[in-house]
Amino acid sequence: MIAQMLPQRRNLTGADLRAAFDATREQTLSLVSTVAPEDMTVQSMPDASPAKWHLAHTTWFFETFVLGNYLPGYRVFDESYHYLFNSYYESVGPRHPRAQRGLLTRPSVEKIRAYRAHVDRHMQVVFDCGVRDELEALIQLGIAHEQQHQELIVMDLLHLFAQSPLKPAYDANWPMHRGGRRGHFQSVAGGLVQIGHDGDGFAFDNESPRHKVWLEPFEISDRLVTNGEWLEFIDDDGYSRPEFWLSDGWNEVQAHGRNAPLYWQQNDSQWHEFGLRGLMPLDPSMPVSHVSFYEAAAYAHWAGARLPTEAEWEIAAVGGRLQQAFDNQWQWTQSAYSPYPGFREAPGAVGEYNGKFMINQIVLRGGCCATPQSHTRATYRNFFAPDKRWQFAGLRLARDLSAPTKTSSTNRWRNNEFAQHVIAGLSKSKKALSPKYLYDAQGSQLFEEICATPEYYVTRVEQALLHEIVGDLVRGLPAHAALIEFGSGASEKTRTLLDRPNQFSTYVPIDMSAAAVNDAVQRLSRTYPDLAVLPVVGDFTAELALPKSLRDQPRVGFFPGSTIGNFEHSEAVQLLRTLREMLGANSHMILGADLIKDPAMLRAAYNDAAGVTTRFIKNVLARINRELDGNIDLATFSHTSIWNEERHRMEMYLVSKIDQIVHAAGESFAFKAGERLHTENSHKFSAALLEEMVRDAGWTPDGYWESTIQPFAIMRLKATR
């Protein structure tokens, strides 16, 4: 249920109020401009309403509360509409049952459009006569009320279309919000704070009075939980483990056999999601959507966190700590929908909506992709029953600072990203760590040793191919450009490009290892004294700013080796999209990618006879010991590499030789003998799959070269306009 309450203070007058009214009414019609009359009559479930009913009800509001009371001599369009299109206003009179709104084949859509036009014409007369203070507040309420129903139109049509085996798109061009990285916890001191609307501008009266609240210190994630994170919950049997669920939530899951968010479905073992643009492959970087409060609370419990209270959310939002706050998904809080201290229901019919819904509902904060931008604010209190999930509802996590949690047992490790990822990764039923943590200073050095082993063909083959094609390669690139290398390491391959005269005047090596970057800078500065070297230490898979001194200099990205193969397809697409946005318009990219080849050669390359790869993979355990006070005995783990034919990738694991309990970052983790810790994937590609991937990420292939020594490819890309 979306709150529908009285405003506290006027913020529109005269022409502005008329313009706001006209724009709102026009926007409502725009939302149904692409759907057929048949789509507008059907009711997919009792909680949803036909689009035709929404058009009529929002018109009924202005006719009943404005024209009927403030325009002398006004004659209603149709007396029966008083009964058909009332929603919950008991004091106004009886109404047609909500669950039967889909049975109203009459009046027709055309008749409802005529009804809207009739009321809109008479509203212009009201504006022409001048609007008094009391009426101004009522019209503002009507505008806000219709904006709420604009959101309801979109989400109700989405639910309707989801029932069709045709899975039609509501709008194939509906704007796509960017996904991105997972959230980082932000600390908030708490204390005595004030929440609620301050009376400046429009607000519903459930946002008031402004009052004081005591908050204990807490942490809140700056971003929403992603589809990828939710997949981990599913893979860990989250929907079948009652220890994570509230009692009513567990009953709900069992009764309806739920095992995923509302609009997810599996096709050929791959997850897809039905949305406003139709049925599409699930994007793991996007915020999860259409989950109930019960599901959100269960996920938070599984993640060793909780949902924020609405006061915590508001203070964090006002303090600028939250991304994805208002334009993606409404966010469940753990707060029951109840009146603020000092709240009083407004008198009259429009006020009866207030208090009677303040029971058995949970507050959501923020806004979603269907919420009008002018309708969002930090104090807005949306609310739904805890089992509802057809609305655009997701979640962000919060944690207490005053008590240990599954993912943060001591203050020492709370703000340590590596510690938090290790704790989360080793707490899963299928243990896994991101391959980026393999590349500390020691790991980067070991990787350079791998590149020199006789079995590891990638570096030699790529280097030879670069030497062979460099003339043709750089001919399609701008002169005096900045070369930005992602995951630069020792920067050895880069010399082939830097040796080209007048091609690159600036080099930006990006790597997580400060030691590797600094060593490369010193060597390159001696060899290329006229080259401006601007090192960046950081994770290029996250949000990263390039040096400002690049200004308008042409930019060429360099992503060699087989690093792109470390990512799942959707993750690789998102990464290439992120790099394109980082490099900017008119940029270019040189991409290296390993191709599918004889599995025997792959197994040898990722498990060399000298054991360098084993030492490289085991280094992540040594790093845990060094940086997180770990006590892991490296001798109790072996390294194995497996070729996955179905997914065309090498998979690297550390395997526990014995039953054991290890400690790190103040936590304990149990390993059974034979249990695997997934450390890295290395996908191998076909030319067709490479082209599909880069095009999906917004790049246009502008050159393709393949080695004749071993299947390996280099592509030149241009940012798609």
Side-chain angles (χ1 to χ4, degrees), residues 85-96:
F85 302 122
N86 183 5
S87 55
Y88 298 106
Y89 298 92
E90 300 283 355
S91 60
V92 173
R95 63 193 184 278
H96 185 73

Side-chain angles (χ1 to χ4, degrees), residues 505-567:
S505 57
T506 305
Y507 174 55
V508 182
I510 303 175
D511 201 279
M512 292 186 66
S513 171
V517 169
N518 292 333
D519 182 64
V521 168
Q522 292 179 13
R523 286 184 284 105
L524 291 174
S525 297
R526 290 192 295 267
T527 307
Y528 306 97
D530 296 327
L531 180 70
V533 182
L534 307 175
V536 175
V537 177
D539 179 4
F540 62 82
T541 66
E543 295 180 356
L544 197 64
L546 295 177
K548 295 181 179 179
S549 58
L550 296 182
R551 294 187 177 89
D552 297 328
Q553 189 174 4
R555 300 174 182 182
V556 177
F558 187 34
F559 200 15
S562 57
T563 306
I564 192 64
N566 292 150
F567 301 89

Side-chain angles (χ1 to χ4, degrees), residues 600-619:
M601 175 171 286
L602 292 170
R603 294 188 188 97
Y606 290 91
N607 195 13
D608 62 278
V612 182
T613 304
T614 296
R615 288 189 284 124
F616 168 68
I617 297 297
K618 280 191 175 185
N619 178 65

Side-chain angles (χ1 to χ4, degrees), residues 474-488:
V474 301
R475 244 189 300 277
L477 301 176
H480 303 290
L483 183 66
I484 296 98
E485 184 173 2
F486 303 103
S488 55

Side-chain angles (χ1 to χ4, degrees), residues 228-292:
E229 291 173 295
W230 201 272
L231 280 172
E232 295 172 7
F233 174 64
I234 293 175
D235 290 343
D236 200 27
D237 300 324
Y239 277 92
S240 58
R241 296 172 61 180
E243 64 265 30
F244 301 135
W245 294 81
L246 296 168
S247 177
D248 286 350
W250 182 246
N251 292 339
E252 183 80 13
V253 166
Q254 294 297 295
H256 297 284
R258 291 177 177 167
N259 64 355
L262 177 59
Y263 295 130
W264 287 25
Q265 65 180 60
Q266 276 190 305
N267 298 332
D268 299 326
S269 75
Q270 297 296 316
W271 282 105
H272 289 68
E273 182 176 22
F274 182 71
L276 296 171
R277 296 163 67 102
L279 187 65
M280 303 182 71
L282 186 73
D283 185 344
S285 72
M286 291 296 292
V288 69
S289 181
H290 300 289
V291 295
S292 69

